[in-house]
Coordinates of all heavy atoms in Angstrom, one line a residue:
I124 N -15.9 22.5 13.8 CA -16.7 22.5 12.6 C -16.2 23.4 11.6 O -16.1 23.0 10.4 CB -18.2 22.9 13.0 CG1 -18.8 21.8 13.9 CG2 -19.0 23.1 11.7 CD1 -20.2 22.2 14.4
E125 N -15.7 24.6 12.0 CA -15.1 25.5 11.0 C -13.9 24.9 10.3 O -13.6 25.2 9.2 CB -14.7 26.8 11.7 CG -15.9 27.7 12.1 CD -15.4 28.9 12.9 OE1 -14.2 28.9 13.2 OE2 -16.3 29.7 13.2
G126 N -13.2 24.0 11.0 CA -12.0 23.3 10.5 C -12.3 22.1 9.6 O -11.4 21.4 9.2
G127 N -13.6 21.9 9.3 CA -14.0 20.8 8.5 C -14.1 19.4 9.1 O -14.2 18.4 8.4
L128 N -14.2 19.4 10.5 CA -14.3 18.1 11.2 C -15.7 17.9 11.5 O -16.5 18.8 11.7 CB -13.5 18.2 12.5 CG -12.0 18.5 12.3 CD1 -11.3 18.5 13.7 CD2 -11.3 17.6 11.3
D129 N -16.1 16.6 11.5 CA -17.4 16.1 11.9 C -17.4 16.1 13.5 O -16.7 15.3 14.1 CB -17.8 14.8 11.3 CG -17.9 14.8 9.8 OD1 -18.3 15.8 9.3 OD2 -17.5 13.8 9.2
V130 N -18.3 16.8 14.1 CA -18.4 16.9 15.5 C -19.6 16.2 16.1 O -20.7 16.3 15.6 CB -18.4 18.4 16.0 CG1 -18.5 18.5 17.5 CG2 -17.1 19.1 15.5
R131 N -19.4 15.5 17.2 CA -20.5 14.9 17.9 C -20.2 15.1 19.4 O -19.1 15.3 19.8 CB -20.6 13.4 17.6 CG -19.5 12.5 18.1 CD -19.7 11.0 17.9 NE -18.7 10.2 18.5 CZ -18.8 9.7 19.7 NH1 -19.8 10.0 20.5 NH2 -17.8 9.0 20.2
V132 N -21.3 14.9 20.1 CA -21.3 15.1 21.6 C -21.7 13.7 22.2 O -22.7 13.1 21.8 CB -22.3 16.1 22.1 CG1 -22.2 16.3 23.6 CG2 -22.0 17.5 21.3
D133 N -20.9 13.2 23.1 CA -21.3 11.9 23.7 C -22.2 12.1 24.9 O -22.5 13.3 25.3 CB -20.0 11.1 24.0 CG -19.3 11.5 25.3 OD1 -19.7 12.5 25.9 OD2 -18.4 10.8 25.7
P134 N -22.7 11.0 25.5 CA -23.7 11.2 26.5 C -23.3 12.0 27.8 O -24.2 12.5 28.5 CB -24.1 9.8 26.9 CG -23.9 9.0 25.6 CD -22.7 9.6 25.0
V135 N -22.0 12.1 28.0 CA -21.6 12.9 29.2 C -21.1 14.3 28.8 O -20.6 15.0 29.7 CB -20.4 12.1 30.0 CG1 -21.0 10.9 30.6 CG2 -19.2 11.9 29.1
G136 N -21.2 14.6 27.5 CA -20.9 16.0 27.1 C -19.5 16.2 26.5 O -19.2 17.4 26.2
S137 N -18.7 15.2 26.4 CA -17.4 15.4 25.7 C -17.7 15.6 24.2 O -18.6 15.1 23.6 CB -16.5 14.1 25.9 OG -16.2 14.0 27.2
R138 N -16.8 16.4 23.6 CA -16.9 16.7 22.2 C -15.8 15.9 21.4 O -14.6 15.8 21.9 CB -16.7 18.2 21.9 CG -18.0 18.9 21.8 CD -18.8 18.9 23.1 NE -19.9 19.9 23.0 CZ -20.8 20.1 24.0 NH1 -20.6 19.4 25.2 NH2 -21.8 20.9 23.9
F139 N -16.1 15.4 20.2 CA -15.2 14.7 19.4 C -15.2 15.3 18.0 O -16.3 15.4 17.4 CB -15.5 13.2 19.3 CG -15.5 12.5 20.6 CD1 -16.7 12.6 21.4 CD2 -14.4 11.9 21.1 CE1 -16.7 11.9 22.6 CE2 -14.4 11.2 22.3 CZ -15.6 11.3 23.1
G140 N -14.1 15.8 17.5 CA -14.0 16.3 16.1 C -13.3 15.3 15.3 O -12.1 15.0 15.5
R141 N -14.0 14.7 14.3 CA -13.5 13.5 13.6 C -13.1 13.9 12.1 O -13.8 14.6 11.4 CB -14.7 12.5 13.6 CG -14.3 11.2 12.9 CD -15.5 10.3 13.0 NE -15.3 8.9 12.5 CZ -15.0 7.9 13.2 NH1 -14.8 8.0 14.5 NH2 -14.8 6.7 12.6
L142 N -11.9 13.4 11.8 CA -11.5 13.4 10.4 C -11.4 11.9 9.9 O -10.5 11.2 10.3 CB -10.1 14.1 10.3 CG -9.5 14.1 8.9 CD1 -10.4 14.9 7.9 CD2 -8.1 14.7 8.9
A143 N -12.4 11.5 9.2 CA -12.6 10.1 8.8 C -11.5 9.7 7.9 O -11.1 10.4 7.0 CB -13.9 9.9 8.2
G144 N -10.9 8.5 8.2 CA -9.9 7.9 7.4 C -10.4 6.7 6.7 O -11.6 6.4 6.6
E145 N -9.4 5.9 6.1 CA -9.7 4.8 5.3 C -10.0 3.5 6.1 O -10.6 2.6 5.6 CB -8.6 4.5 4.3 CG -8.3 5.7 3.3 CD -7.1 5.4 2.5 OE1 -6.5 4.4 2.6 OE2 -6.8 6.3 1.7
T146 N -9.6 3.5 7.4 CA -9.8 2.4 8.3 C -10.7 2.8 9.4 O -10.8 4.0 9.7 CB -8.4 1.8 8.8 OG1 -7.8 2.9 9.5 CG2 -7.5 1.4 7.6
S147 N -11.2 1.8 10.1 CA -12.2 2.1 11.2 C -11.5 2.5 12.5 O -12.1 3.1 13.4 CB -13.1 0.9 11.4 OG -12.3 -0.3 11.7
G148 N -10.3 2.0 12.8 CA -9.6 2.3 14.0 C -9.3 3.8 14.1 O -9.0 4.5 13.2
V149 N -9.4 4.3 15.4 CA -9.2 5.8 15.6 C -8.0 6.1 16.4 O -7.7 5.4 17.4 CB -10.5 6.3 16.4 CG1 -10.3 7.8 16.7 CG2 -11.7 6.1 15.6
V150 N -7.3 7.1 16.0 CA -6.2 7.7 16.7 C -6.7 9.0 17.3 O -7.1 9.9 16.5 CB -4.9 8.0 15.9 CG1 -3.9 8.7 16.7 CG2 -4.4 6.6 15.4
M151 N -6.8 9.1 18.6 CA -7.4 10.3 19.2 C -6.4 11.1 20.0 O -5.5 10.5 20.6 CB -8.6 9.8 20.2 CG -9.5 10.9 20.7 SD -11.0 10.2 21.5 CE -10.3 9.5 22.9
S152 N -6.7 12.4 20.1 CA -5.8 13.3 20.8 C -6.5 14.4 21.4 O -7.5 15.0 20.7 CB -4.6 13.8 19.9 OG -3.7 14.6 20.6
G153 N -6.2 14.9 22.5 CA -6.9 16.0 23.2 C -6.6 16.0 24.7 O -5.7 15.5 25.1

Side-chain angles (χ1 to χ4, degrees):
I124 292 172
E125 289 173 353
L128 305 183
D129 294 325
V130 177
R131 71 176 182 88
V132 182
D133 79 355
V135 293
S137 295
R138 267 63 170 181
F139 301 85
R141 185 180 182 94
L142 179 60
E145 299 173 4
T146 59
S147 58
V149 175
V150 176
M151 191 166 70
S152 182

